[in-house]
Coordinates of all heavy atoms in Angstrom, one line a residue:
I223 N -10.6 22.5 41.0 CA -10.9 21.5 39.9 C -10.3 20.1 40.3 O -9.1 20.0 40.6 CB -10.3 22.0 38.6 CG1 -11.0 23.3 38.1 CG2 -10.5 20.9 37.5 CD1 -10.4 23.8 36.8
M224 N -11.1 19.1 40.3 CA -10.7 17.8 40.5 C -10.3 17.2 39.2 O -10.9 17.4 38.2 CB -11.8 16.9 41.1 CG -12.2 17.3 42.6 SD -11.0 16.5 43.7 CE -11.2 14.8 43.4
R225 N -9.2 16.4 39.2 CA -8.7 15.7 38.1 C -8.8 14.2 38.3 O -8.5 13.7 39.4 CB -7.3 16.1 37.7 CG -7.2 17.5 37.3 CD -6.0 17.8 36.5 NE -6.3 19.1 35.8 CZ -5.3 19.8 35.3 NH1 -4.1 19.4 35.4 NH2 -5.6 20.9 34.7
K226 N -9.4 13.5 37.3 CA -9.6 12.1 37.4 C -8.9 11.4 36.2 O -9.2 11.7 35.1 CB -11.1 11.8 37.5 CG -11.5 10.4 37.5 CD -13.1 10.3 37.5 CE -13.6 8.9 37.1 NZ -15.0 8.9 37.0
V227 N -8.1 10.4 36.5 CA -7.4 9.6 35.4 C -8.5 8.6 35.0 O -8.9 7.8 35.8 CB -6.1 8.9 35.9 CG1 -5.6 8.0 34.8 CG2 -5.1 10.0 36.3
I228 N -8.8 8.6 33.7 CA -9.8 7.6 33.2 C -9.2 6.5 32.4 O -9.9 5.5 32.1 CB -11.0 8.3 32.5 CG1 -10.5 9.1 31.3 CG2 -11.7 9.2 33.5 CD1 -11.7 9.5 30.4
D229 N -8.0 6.7 31.9 CA -7.3 5.6 31.1 C -5.9 6.0 31.0 O -5.4 7.1 31.3 CB -8.0 5.6 29.7 CG -7.7 4.3 29.0 OD1 -7.1 3.4 29.5 OD2 -8.2 4.2 27.8
I230 N -5.1 5.0 30.6 CA -3.7 5.2 30.3 C -3.5 4.7 28.8 O -3.8 3.5 28.5 CB -2.8 4.5 31.3 CG1 -3.0 5.0 32.7 CG2 -1.3 4.6 30.9 CD1 -2.2 4.4 33.8
L231 N -2.9 5.5 28.0 CA -2.7 5.2 26.6 C -1.4 4.3 26.5 O -0.5 4.5 27.2 CB -2.5 6.5 25.8 CG -3.6 7.5 25.7 CD1 -3.2 8.7 24.9 CD2 -4.9 6.9 25.2
N232 N -1.4 3.4 25.4 CA -0.2 2.7 25.1 C 0.7 3.7 24.3 O 0.2 4.8 23.9 CB -0.5 1.4 24.4 CG -1.2 1.5 23.1 OD1 -0.9 2.4 22.3 ND2 -2.1 0.6 22.8
E233 N 1.9 3.3 24.0 CA 2.8 4.2 23.2 C 2.3 4.6 21.9 O 2.4 5.7 21.4 CB 4.2 3.6 23.1 CG 5.0 3.7 24.4 CD 5.2 5.2 24.8 OE1 5.6 6.1 24.0 OE2 5.0 5.5 26.0
K234 N 1.7 3.6 21.1 CA 1.2 3.9 19.8 C 0.0 4.9 19.9 O 0.0 5.8 19.1 CB 0.7 2.6 19.2 CG 0.1 2.7 17.8 CD -0.4 1.4 17.2 CE -0.9 1.5 15.8 NZ -2.2 2.2 15.7
E235 N -0.9 4.7 20.8 CA -2.0 5.7 21.0 C -1.4 7.1 21.3 O -1.9 8.1 20.8 CB -2.9 5.2 22.1 CG -3.7 3.9 21.7 CD -4.4 3.3 22.9 OE1 -3.9 3.4 24.0 OE2 -5.4 2.6 22.7
K236 N -0.5 7.1 22.2 CA 0.1 8.4 22.6 C 0.8 9.1 21.4 O 0.6 10.3 21.2 CB 1.1 8.2 23.7 CG 1.9 9.5 24.1 CD 3.0 9.2 25.0 CE 4.0 10.3 25.0 NZ 5.2 10.0 25.8
E237 N 1.5 8.3 20.6 CA 2.2 8.9 19.5 C 1.2 9.5 18.5 O 1.5 10.5 17.9 CB 3.2 7.9 18.9 CG 4.4 7.6 19.7 CD 5.2 8.8 20.1 OE1 5.4 9.7 19.3 OE2 5.6 8.9 21.3
E238 N 0.1 8.8 18.3 CA -0.9 9.2 17.3 C -1.5 10.6 17.7 O -1.5 11.5 16.9 CB -2.1 8.2 17.3 CG -1.8 6.9 16.6 CD -2.9 5.9 16.7 OE1 -3.8 6.1 17.5 OE2 -2.8 4.9 16.1
I239 N -1.9 10.7 19.0 CA -2.5 12.0 19.4 C -1.5 13.0 19.6 O -1.7 14.2 19.4 CB -3.4 11.8 20.7 CG1 -4.3 13.0 20.9 CG2 -2.6 11.4 21.9 CD1 -5.2 13.4 19.9
L240 N -0.3 12.7 20.0 CA 0.8 13.7 20.2 C 1.2 14.3 18.9 O 1.3 15.6 18.9 CB 2.0 13.0 20.9 CG 3.2 14.0 21.1 CD1 2.8 15.1 22.1 CD2 4.4 13.2 21.7
E241 N 1.2 13.6 17.8 CA 1.5 14.1 16.5 C 0.4 15.1 16.1 O 0.7 16.2 15.7 CB 1.7 13.0 15.5 CG 2.0 13.5 14.1 CD 2.2 12.5 13.1 OE1 2.4 11.3 13.4 OE2 2.2 12.8 11.9
L242 N -0.8 14.7 16.3 CA -1.9 15.6 15.9 C -1.9 16.8 16.8 O -2.1 18.0 16.3 CB -3.3 14.9 16.1 CG -3.5 13.7 15.1 CD1 -4.7 12.9 15.5 CD2 -3.6 14.2 13.7
F243 N -1.7 16.7 18.1 CA -1.7 17.8 19.1 C -0.6 18.8 18.7 O -0.8 20.0 18.7 CB -1.5 17.3 20.5 CG -1.4 18.3 21.5 CD1 -2.5 19.0 22.0 CD2 -0.2 18.7 22.1 CE1 -2.5 20.0 22.9 CE2 -0.1 19.7 23.0 CZ -1.2 20.3 23.5
E244 N 0.6 18.3 18.4 CA 1.8 19.2 18.1 C 1.5 19.9 16.8 O 1.8 21.1 16.7 CB 3.1 18.4 18.0 CG 3.5 17.9 19.4 CD 4.8 17.1 19.3 OE1 5.1 16.5 18.3 OE2 5.5 17.0 20.4
K245 N 0.9 19.2 15.8 CA 0.6 19.9 14.5 C -0.5 21.0 14.8 O -0.4 22.1 14.2 CB 0.0 18.9 13.5 CG 1.1 18.1 12.9 CD 0.4 17.1 11.9 CE 1.5 16.2 11.3 NZ 0.8 15.2 10.3
K246 N -1.5 20.7 15.6 CA -2.5 21.7 16.0 C -1.9 22.9 16.6 O -2.2 24.0 16.2 CB -3.5 21.0 16.9 CG -4.7 21.8 17.4 CD -5.6 21.0 18.3 CE -6.7 21.8 18.9 NZ -6.2 22.7 20.0
Q247 N -1.0 22.7 17.6 CA -0.4 23.8 18.3 C 0.5 24.6 17.3 O 0.4 25.9 17.3 CB 0.5 23.3 19.4 CG -0.2 22.7 20.5 CD -1.1 23.6 21.3 OE1 -0.8 24.8 21.4 NE2 -2.2 23.2 21.8
A248 N 1.2 24.0 16.4 CA 2.0 24.7 15.5 C 1.2 25.5 14.5 O 1.5 26.7 14.2 CB 2.9 23.7 14.7
M249 N 0.1 25.0 14.0 CA -0.7 25.7 13.1 C -1.4 26.9 13.8 O -1.5 28.0 13.2 CB -1.8 24.8 12.5 CG -1.3 23.8 11.5 SD -2.6 22.9 10.7 CE -1.8 21.8 9.6
E250 N -1.8 26.7 15.0 CA -2.4 27.8 15.8 C -1.4 28.9 16.0 O -1.8 30.1 15.9 CB -3.0 27.3 17.1 CG -4.3 26.4 16.9 CD -4.8 25.7 18.1 OE1 -4.1 25.7 19.2 OE2 -5.8 25.0 18.0
N251 N -0.2 28.6 16.3 CA 0.8 29.6 16.5 C 1.2 30.3 15.2 O 1.4 31.5 15.2 CB 2.1 28.9 17.1 CG 1.9 28.6 18.6 OD1 1.2 29.2 19.3 ND2 2.6 27.6 19.0
L252 N 1.2 29.5 14.1 CA 1.5 30.1 12.8 C 0.4 31.1 12.4 O 0.7 32.2 11.9 CB 1.6 29.0 11.7 CG 2.0 29.4 10.3 CD1 3.4 30.2 10.3 CD2 2.1 28.2 9.4
A253 N -0.9 30.8 12.7 CA -2.0 31.6 12.4 C -1.9 33.0 13.1 O -2.4 34.0 12.6 CB -3.3 31.0 12.8
K254 N -1.2 33.0 14.2 CA -1.0 34.2 15.0 C 0.0 35.2 14.3 O -0.1 36.4 14.5 CB -0.5 33.9 16.4 CG -1.6 33.2 17.3 CD -1.0 32.9 18.6 CE -1.9 32.0 19.4 NZ -1.3 31.5 20.7
V255 N 0.9 34.7 13.5 CA 1.9 35.5 13.0 C 1.7 35.8 11.5 O 2.4 36.6 10.9 CB 3.3 34.9 13.2 CG1 3.6 34.9 14.7 CG2 3.5 33.6 12.6
I256 N 0.8 35.0 10.8 CA 0.6 35.3 9.4 C -0.4 36.4 9.2 O -1.4 36.5 9.9 CB 0.0 34.0 8.7 CG1 1.0 32.9 8.7 CG2 -0.5 34.4 7.3 CD1 0.4 31.6 8.1
N257 N 0.0 37.3 8.3 CA -0.9 38.4 8.0 C -1.9 38.0 6.9 O -1.5 37.7 5.8 CB -0.1 39.7 7.6 CG -1.0 40.9 7.3 OD1 -2.1 40.8 6.9 ND2 -0.5 42.0 7.7
A258 N -3.2 37.8 7.3 CA -4.2 37.3 6.4 C -4.3 38.1 5.1 O -4.7 37.6 4.1 CB -5.5 37.1 7.1
E259 N -4.0 39.4 5.2 CA -4.2 40.3 4.1 C -3.0 40.3 3.1 O -3.2 40.2 1.9 CB -4.5 41.7 4.6 CG -5.8 41.8 5.3 CD -6.0 43.1 6.0 OE1 -5.2 44.0 5.8 OE2 -6.9 43.2 6.8
T260 N -1.8 40.3 3.7 CA -0.6 40.3 2.8 C -0.2 38.9 2.4 O 0.4 38.7 1.4 CB 0.6 41.0 3.5 OG1 0.9 40.4 4.7 CG2 0.2 42.5 3.7
D261 N -0.5 37.9 3.2 CA -0.2 36.5 2.9 C -1.4 35.7 2.7 O -1.6 34.7 3.3 CB 0.7 35.9 4.0 CG 2.0 36.5 4.1 OD1 2.7 36.8 3.1 OD2 2.5 36.7 5.3
E262 N -2.3 36.2 1.8 CA -3.7 35.7 1.7 C -3.6 34.2 1.3 O -4.3 33.4 1.9 CB -4.4 36.4 0.6 CG -5.9 36.1 0.5 CD -6.6 37.0 -0.5 OE1 -6.2 38.2 -0.7 OE2 -7.6 36.5 -1.0
Q263 N -2.8 33.8 0.3 CA -2.7 32.4 -0.1 C -2.2 31.5 1.0 O -2.7 30.4 1.2 CB -1.9 32.3 -1.4 CG -1.9 30.9 -2.0 CD -3.3 30.4 -2.4 OE1 -4.0 31.1 -3.1 NE2 -3.8 29.3 -1.9
L264 N -1.1 31.9 1.6 CA -0.6 31.1 2.8 C -1.6 31.0 3.9 O -1.8 29.9 4.4 CB 0.7 31.8 3.3 CG 1.4 31.1 4.5 CD1 1.8 29.7 4.1 CD2 2.6 32.0 4.9
F265 N -2.3 32.0 4.2 CA -3.3 32.0 5.2 C -4.5 31.0 4.8 O -4.9 30.2 5.6 CB -3.9 33.4 5.5 CG -4.8 33.4 6.7 CD1 -4.3 33.4 8.0 CD2 -6.2 33.4 6.6 CE1 -5.1 33.4 9.1 CE2 -7.0 33.4 7.7 CZ -6.4 33.4 9.0
Q266 N -4.9 31.1 3.6 CA -5.9 30.2 3.1 C -5.5 28.7 3.1 O -6.2 27.8 3.5 CB -6.4 30.6 1.7 CG -7.6 29.8 1.2 CD -8.8 30.1 2.1 OE1 -9.1 31.3 2.4 NE2 -9.5 29.1 2.5
N267 N -4.2 28.5 2.7 CA -3.7 27.1 2.8 C -3.7 26.6 4.2 O -4.0 25.4 4.5 CB -2.3 27.0 2.2 CG -2.3 27.2 0.7 OD1 -3.3 27.1 0.1 ND2 -1.1 27.5 0.2
L268 N -3.2 27.5 5.1 CA -3.2 27.1 6.6 C -4.6 26.8 7.1 O -4.8 25.8 7.8 CB -2.6 28.2 7.4 CG -2.5 28.0 8.9 CD1 -1.7 26.8 9.3 CD2 -2.0 29.3 9.6
K269 N -5.5 27.6 6.7 CA -6.9 27.4 7.2 C -7.4 26.1 6.7 O -8.0 25.3 7.4 CB -7.8 28.6 6.6 CG -9.2 28.6 7.1 CD -9.9 29.8 6.5 CE -11.4 29.7 6.7 NZ -12.1 30.8 6.1
N270 N -7.2 25.8 5.4 CA -7.7 24.5 4.8 C -7.0 23.3 5.5 O -7.6 22.3 5.9 CB -7.4 24.4 3.3 CG -8.2 25.4 2.6 OD1 -9.3 25.9 3.1 ND2 -7.8 25.8 1.4
D271 N -5.7 23.4 5.7 CA -4.9 22.3 6.4 C -5.4 22.2 7.8 O -5.5 21.0 8.3 CB -3.4 22.6 6.4 CG -2.8 22.5 5.0 OD1 -3.5 21.9 4.1 OD2 -1.7 22.9 4.8
Y272 N -5.7 23.3 8.5 CA -6.2 23.2 9.9 C -7.5 22.5 10.0 O -7.7 21.7 10.9 CB -6.2 24.7 10.5 CG -6.6 24.7 11.9 CD1 -5.6 24.4 12.9 CD2 -7.8 25.0 12.4 CE1 -5.9 24.5 14.2 CE2 -8.1 25.1 13.7 CZ -7.1 24.8 14.7 OH -7.4 24.8 16.0
L273 N -8.4 22.8 9.0 CA -9.7 22.1 9.1 C -9.6 20.6 8.9 O -10.2 19.9 9.6 CB -10.6 22.7 8.0 CG -11.1 24.2 8.2 CD1 -11.8 24.7 7.0 CD2 -11.9 24.3 9.4
V274 N -8.7 20.2 8.0 CA -8.4 18.8 7.8 C -7.9 18.2 9.1 O -8.3 17.1 9.6 CB -7.5 18.5 6.6 CG1 -7.0 17.1 6.6 CG2 -8.1 18.9 5.3
L275 N -6.9 18.9 9.7 CA -6.3 18.4 10.9 C -7.3 18.3 12.0 O -7.3 17.3 12.8 CB -5.1 19.3 11.3 CG -4.5 19.0 12.7 CD1 -3.7 17.7 12.6 CD2 -3.6 20.1 13.1
M276 N -8.1 19.3 12.2 CA -9.1 19.3 13.3 C -10.1 18.1 13.1 O -10.6 17.5 14.1 CB -9.8 20.6 13.4 CG -8.9 21.7 14.0 SD -8.2 21.2 15.5 CE -9.6 21.0 16.6
N277 N -10.4 17.8 11.8 CA -11.3 16.6 11.6 C -10.6 15.3 12.1 O -11.2 14.5 12.7 CB -11.6 16.4 10.1 CG -12.7 17.4 9.7 OD1 -13.5 17.9 10.5 ND2 -12.7 17.8 8.4
E278 N -9.3 15.2 11.8 CA -8.5 14.0 12.3 C -8.4 14.0 13.8 O -8.5 13.0 14.5 CB -7.1 14.1 11.7 CG -7.1 13.9 10.2 CD -5.7 14.0 9.6 OE1 -4.7 14.0 10.4 OE2 -5.5 14.2 8.4
Y279 N -8.2 15.2 14.4 CA -8.0 15.3 15.9 C -9.3 14.9 16.6 O -9.4 14.2 17.5 CB -7.6 16.8 16.2 CG -7.3 17.1 17.6 CD1 -6.1 16.8 18.2 CD2 -8.3 17.7 18.4 CE1 -5.8 17.1 19.5 CE2 -8.0 18.0 19.7 CZ -6.8 17.7 20.3 OH -6.5 18.0 21.6
T280 N -10.4 15.5 16.0 CA -11.7 15.2 16.6 C -12.1 13.7 16.4 O -12.6 13.1 17.3 CB -12.8 16.1 16.0 OG1 -12.4 17.5 16.2 CG2 -14.2 15.9 16.6
A281 N -11.8 13.2 15.3 CA -12.0 11.8 15.0 C -11.3 10.9 16.0 O -11.8 9.9 16.5 CB -11.7 11.4 13.6
W282 N -10.0 11.2 16.3 CA -9.2 10.4 17.2 C -9.9 10.4 18.6 O -10.1 9.3 19.2 CB -7.8 11.0 17.4 CG -6.9 10.1 18.2 CD1 -6.1 9.2 17.8 CD2 -6.8 10.1 19.7 NE1 -5.5 8.5 18.8 CE2 -5.9 9.1 20.0 CE3 -7.4 10.8 20.7 CZ2 -5.5 8.8 21.3 CZ3 -7.1 10.6 22.0 CH2 -6.2 9.6 22.3
W283 N -10.3 11.5 19.1 CA -11.0 11.6 20.4 C -12.4 10.8 20.3 O -12.7 10.1 21.2 CB -11.3 13.1 20.8 CG -10.1 13.7 21.4 CD1 -9.2 14.5 20.8 CD2 -9.5 13.5 22.7 NE1 -8.2 14.9 21.7 CE2 -8.4 14.2 22.9 CE3 -10.0 12.7 23.8 CZ2 -7.6 14.3 24.0 CZ3 -9.2 12.7 25.0 CH2 -8.1 13.5 25.1
S284 N -13.1 11.0 19.3 CA -14.4 10.4 19.2 C -14.3 8.9 19.1 O -15.0 8.1 19.8 CB -15.2 10.8 17.9 OG -15.5 12.2 18.0
N285 N -13.4 8.4 18.3 CA -13.1 7.0 18.1 C -12.7 6.3 19.4 O -13.2 5.3 19.8 CB -12.1 6.7 17.0 CG -12.6 7.0 15.6 OD1 -13.8 7.2 15.4 ND2 -11.7 7.2 14.7
N286 N -11.7 6.9 20.0 CA -11.2 6.4 21.3 C -12.2 6.4 22.4 O -12.3 5.5 23.2 CB -9.9 7.0 21.7 CG -8.7 6.5 20.9 OD1 -8.2 5.4 21.2 ND2 -8.3 7.2 19.9
S287 N -13.0 7.5 22.5 CA -14.0 7.6 23.5 C -15.1 6.5 23.3 O -15.5 5.9 24.3 CB -14.7 9.0 23.4 OG -13.8 10.0 23.8
E288 N -15.4 6.3 22.1 CA -16.5 5.3 21.8 C -15.9 3.9 22.1 O -16.6 3.1 22.8 CB -16.9 5.4 20.3 CG -18.1 4.5 20.0 CD -18.6 4.7 18.6 OE1 -18.6 5.9 18.2 OE2 -18.9 3.7 17.9
I289 N -14.7 3.6 21.6 CA -14.1 2.2 21.8 C -13.9 1.9 23.2 O -14.1 0.8 23.7 CB -12.8 2.1 21.0 CG1 -13.1 2.1 19.5 CG2 -12.0 0.9 21.3 CD1 -11.9 2.3 18.6
K290 N -13.3 2.9 24.0 CA -12.9 2.7 25.3 C -14.0 3.1 26.4 O -13.7 2.9 27.6 CB -11.6 3.4 25.6 CG -10.5 2.9 24.7 CD -9.2 3.7 24.9 CE -8.1 3.2 24.0 NZ -7.0 2.9 24.8
G291 N -15.1 3.6 25.9 CA -16.1 4.0 26.8 C -15.8 5.2 27.8 O -16.2 5.2 28.9
W292 N -15.0 6.1 27.3 CA -14.6 7.3 28.1 C -15.8 8.1 28.3 O -16.7 8.3 27.4 CB -13.5 8.1 27.4 CG -12.2 7.4 27.3 CD1 -11.7 6.3 27.9 CD2 -11.1 7.8 26.4 NE1 -10.5 6.0 27.5 CE2 -10.1 6.9 26.6 CE3 -11.0 8.8 25.4 CZ2 -8.9 7.0 25.9 CZ3 -9.8 8.9 24.7 CH2 -8.8 8.0 25.0
E293 N -15.9 8.7 29.5 CA -17.0 9.6 29.8 C -16.9 10.8 29.0 O -15.8 11.2 28.6 CB -16.9 10.0 31.3 CG -17.0 8.8 32.3 CD -16.7 9.2 33.7 OE1 -17.2 10.3 34.1 OE2 -15.9 8.6 34.3
K294 N -18.0 11.5 28.7 CA -18.0 12.8 28.0 C -17.6 13.8 29.0 O -18.0 13.8 30.2 CB -19.3 13.1 27.5 CG -19.9 12.1 26.5 CD -19.1 12.1 25.2 CE -19.6 11.1 24.2 NZ -18.6 10.5 23.3
G295 N -16.8 14.8 28.6 CA -16.3 15.8 29.5 C -15.1 16.5 29.0 O -14.7 16.3 27.9
N296 N -14.5 17.3 29.9 CA -13.2 18.0 29.5 C -12.0 17.1 29.7 O -11.4 17.0 30.7 CB -13.1 19.3 30.4 CG -12.0 20.1 30.0 OD1 -11.5 20.0 28.9 ND2 -11.5 21.0 30.9
L297 N -11.7 16.3 28.6 CA -10.6 15.4 28.6 C -9.4 16.0 28.0 O -9.4 16.8 27.1 CB -11.0 14.1 27.8 CG -12.3 13.4 28.2 CD1 -12.5 12.2 27.3 CD2 -12.2 12.9 29.7
F298 N -8.2 15.5 28.5 CA -7.0 15.9 27.9 C -6.0 14.8 28.2 O -6.2 13.9 29.0 CB -6.5 17.3 28.4 CG -6.1 17.3 29.9 CD1 -4.8 17.1 30.3 CD2 -7.1 17.5 30.9 CE1 -4.5 17.1 31.7 CE2 -6.8 17.6 32.2 CZ -5.5 17.4 32.6
I299 N -4.8 14.8 27.5 CA -3.8 13.8 27.7 C -2.6 14.5 28.5 O -2.2 15.5 28.1 CB -3.2 13.3 26.4 CG1 -4.4 12.9 25.4 CG2 -2.2 12.2 26.6 CD1 -5.1 11.6 25.9
D300 N -2.1 13.8 29.5 CA -0.9 14.1 30.2 C 0.2 13.3 29.4 O 0.3 12.1 29.7 CB -0.9 13.8 31.6 CG 0.3 14.2 32.4 OD1 1.4 14.3 31.7 OD2 0.3 14.4 33.6
F301 N 0.9 14.0 28.5 CA 1.9 13.3 27.7 C 3.1 12.7 28.5 O 3.7 11.8 28.0 CB 2.3 14.1 26.5 CG 1.2 14.4 25.5 CD1 0.7 15.7 25.4 CD2 0.7 13.4 24.7 CE1 -0.3 15.9 24.5 CE2 -0.3 13.6 23.8 CZ -0.8 14.9 23.7
S302 N 3.3 13.2 29.6 CA 4.5 12.7 30.4 C 4.1 11.4 31.1 O 5.0 10.6 31.4 CB 4.9 13.7 31.5 OG 3.9 13.9 32.4
T303 N 2.8 11.1 31.3 CA 2.4 9.9 32.0 C 1.5 9.0 31.1 O 1.2 7.9 31.5 CB 1.6 10.2 33.2 OG1 0.4 10.9 32.9 CG2 2.5 11.0 34.2
N304 N 1.1 9.5 29.9 CA 0.2 8.8 29.0 C -1.2 8.7 29.5 O -2.0 7.9 29.0 CB 0.7 7.4 28.6 CG 2.0 7.4 27.8 OD1 2.6 8.4 27.6 ND2 2.3 6.2 27.2
E305 N -1.5 9.5 30.5 CA -2.8 9.4 31.2 C -3.9 10.2 30.4 O -3.6 11.3 30.0 CB -2.8 9.9 32.6 CG -1.9 9.0 33.5 CD -1.7 9.6 34.9 OE1 -1.8 10.8 35.1 OE2 -1.4 8.8 35.8
V306 N -5.1 9.7 30.3 CA -6.2 10.4 29.8 C -6.9 10.9 31.1 O -7.2 10.2 31.9 CB -7.2 9.6 29.0 CG1 -8.4 10.4 28.5 CG2 -6.5 8.9 27.8
V307 N -7.0 12.3 31.2 CA -7.4 12.9 32.4 C -8.7 13.7 32.1 O -8.9 14.3 31.1 CB -6.3 13.8 33.0 CG1 -6.8 14.5 34.3 CG2 -5.0 13.1 33.2
M308 N -9.6 13.7 33.1 CA -10.8 14.4 33.0 C -10.8 15.5 34.2 O -10.6 15.1 35.3 CB -12.1 13.5 33.2 CG -13.4 14.3 33.3 SD -14.8 13.3 33.6 CE -15.2 12.8 31.9
D309 N -11.1 16.7 33.8 CA -11.4 17.8 34.8 C -12.8 17.7 35.3 O -13.7 17.6 34.4 CB -11.1 19.2 34.2 CG -9.6 19.5 34.2 OD1 -8.8 18.8 34.8 OD2 -9.3 20.5 33.4
E310 N -13.0 17.6 36.6 CA -14.4 17.5 37.1 C -14.7 18.8 37.8 O -13.9 19.4 38.4 CB -14.5 16.3 38.0 CG -14.4 15.0 37.3 CD -14.6 13.8 38.2 OE1 -14.0 13.8 39.4 OE2 -15.3 12.9 37.8

């Protein structure tokens, strides 16, 4: 797999997506340990919050892709370098 750096985020941009990414990871991990049957209300709350978060996460990617002219593809952020990277 070839990796291509297509942009470098500024600190504000990085912090925006890092916060969304960390929340996404935390909710996905929590979903693995919640019992949907015994903790039905908690699971439903998590599901609802996750849907809202995913809308925000997707909107961040869509908005930045449109504004900055990023190519469509398998994009991710290298948080140690602030690079937007595409797997080719």
